[in-house]
Amino acid sequence: MPAGSLTVVGTGIRLVTQLTPEARAAIRDAEKVFYVTDGPVQRRWFEQLNSTAESLHHLYQLGRDRLSTYEEIVERALAAARGGVRVCLVMYGHPGVLVTPAHDAIRSARAEGLSATMLPGVSAEDCLFADLGVDPGARGCQTFEATDFLVQRRRFDPRSALVLYQIAAIGVRAHTATLPNLRGLRALSAALVEHYPAEHQAIVYTAAEYPGCRAIIEPSTIAGLPSAPVQATATLYVPPLDQLPADPELLVALAPE
Ligand SMILES: C[S@@+](CC[C@H](N)C(=O)[O-])C[C@H]1O[C@@H](n2cnc3c(N)ncnc32)[C@H](O)[C@@H]1O
């Protein structure tokens, strides 16, 4: 039997136009394609690119625990690869950014001796840097998943930028149609007010998901987050506080010899 393999790719955030050439080739050349996104345009596009393309979106049933969905996605992809097939699993955005089943599938495939590769894609954070004009290298940038940020009481530096993923689904474990979870936004606002002035301006950001559309950029004070219009797929950007003067002794000590 030929050796099966797994390639995990991402579509980018913006439909079709953010798919990288190498991800496109991986989808086109696979012997079996699974994808998790939904919608008639996506379906037609995937099926045209590869007639084996099969959506796993139905696994995201309302009320179902996310972890159980993720396990089934991994199992479907690996079952095909075990059978000697070159499988491509297509996720949303960058496949390695907050996509548990993508990493699980790669780990499990390798543990079983199958060849497994992940290709990078365009993430929501990449779009945010472009749309909001943020250079993560200028003042540093800290990225967290919002629930993890809260419940682990993550330590961070408010003088560097802060990006929080999944702010609409704080504390939400099952698939639900009723986002945002206001209780989560209230908790987030209260936690951030301990580090920023209540009037510090953040941005609730939603990247355009279709070519020709614009990003939704909603300024909100930290205190006002619970009443901000938060889309189900929004990401929060909190600009850094003013920075402190650089340490003069270190500046001298670091001068090249
Ligand atoms: C499960 S994660 C997937 C992340 C994705 N793999 C990526 O590369 O960005 C879902 C989260 O990504 C962010 N996200 C997804 N689509 C977005 C969009 N159109 N605009 C802004 N953030 C988005 C939100 O924080 C959302 O809660």
Side-chain angles (χ1 to χ4, degrees):
M1 188 191 299
S5 67
L6 175 69
T7 306
V8 180
V9 306
T11 55
I13 300 295
R14 194 132 54 250
L15 188 67
V16 179
T17 52
Q18 287 183 340
L19 187 76
T20 65
E22 65 175 356
R24 189 178 194 283
I27 297 171
R28 186 195 58 210
D29 298 341
E31 291 170 305
K32 178 68 193 171
V33 173
F34 294 106
Y35 63 98
V36 299
T37 49
D38 191 29
V41 182
Q42 280 95 328
R43 198 173 318 128
R44 205 168 324 119
W45 187 81
F46 279 119
E47 284 166 8
Q48 270 173 10
L49 192 56
N50 188 315
S51 60
T52 72
E54 180 181 342
S55 172
L56 297 180
H57 191 262
H58 61 279
L59 300 179
Y60 289 82
Q61 295 135 354
L62 287 184
R64 182 174 180 180
D65 188 87
R66 282 194 211 155
L67 293 183
S68 135
T69 301
Y70 297 163
E71 280 168 17
E72 199 169 340
I73 291 172
V74 172
E75 191 42 41
R76 291 291 303 275
L78 285 196
R82 277 182 211 120
V85 165
R86 274 183 288 114
V87 176
C88 183
L89 177 61
V90 190
M91 315 304 282
Y92 172 59
H94 184 307
V97 177
L98 274 131
V99 189
T100 306
H103 287 290
D104 286 352
I106 294 274
R107 262 192 303 272
S108 302
R110 287 181 183 158
E112 293 185 25
L114 297 164
S115 158
T117 312
M118 180 184 285
L119 303 180
V122 177
S123 70
E125 194 179 44
D126 293 325
C127 298
L128 181 153
F129 293 148
D131 285 334
L132 303 188
V134 172
D135 181 344
R139 301 274 296 271
C141 183
Q142 307 147 102
T143 305
F144 298 95
E145 194 280 329
T147 303
D148 168 80
F149 176 79
L150 282 179
V151 301
Q152 295 293 330
R153 300 187 188 281
R154 295 285 177 204
R155 295 169 68 133
F156 71 104
D157 181 356
R159 296 185 192 280
S160 289
L162 179 66
V163 173
L164 295 177
Y165 267 86
Q166 302 201 141
I167 56 165
I170 293 171
V172 177
R173 290 177 53 95
H175 305 297
T176 169
T178 51
L179 296 177
N181 175 16
L182 288 181
R183 194 176 276 181
L185 286 177
R186 284 194 289 268
L188 179 62
S189 171
L192 291 176
V193 161
E194 291 177 18
H195 302 274
Y196 300 92
E199 295 310 309
H200 189 64
Q201 284 278 346
I203 290 175
V204 179
Y205 168 77
T206 310
E209 294 175 6
Y210 294 92
C213 295
R214 283 169 184 251
I216 302 173
I217 296 171
E218 294 282 356
S220 166
T221 61
I222 296 295
L225 274 176
S227 52
V230 174
Q231 309 287 318
T233 56
T235 297
L236 186 70
Y237 172 68
V238 188
L241 297 178
D242 291 343
Q243 63 183 354
L244 300 172
D247 183 325
E249 282 177 24
L250 265 178
L251 282 177
V252 171
L254 291 173
E257 288 167 331

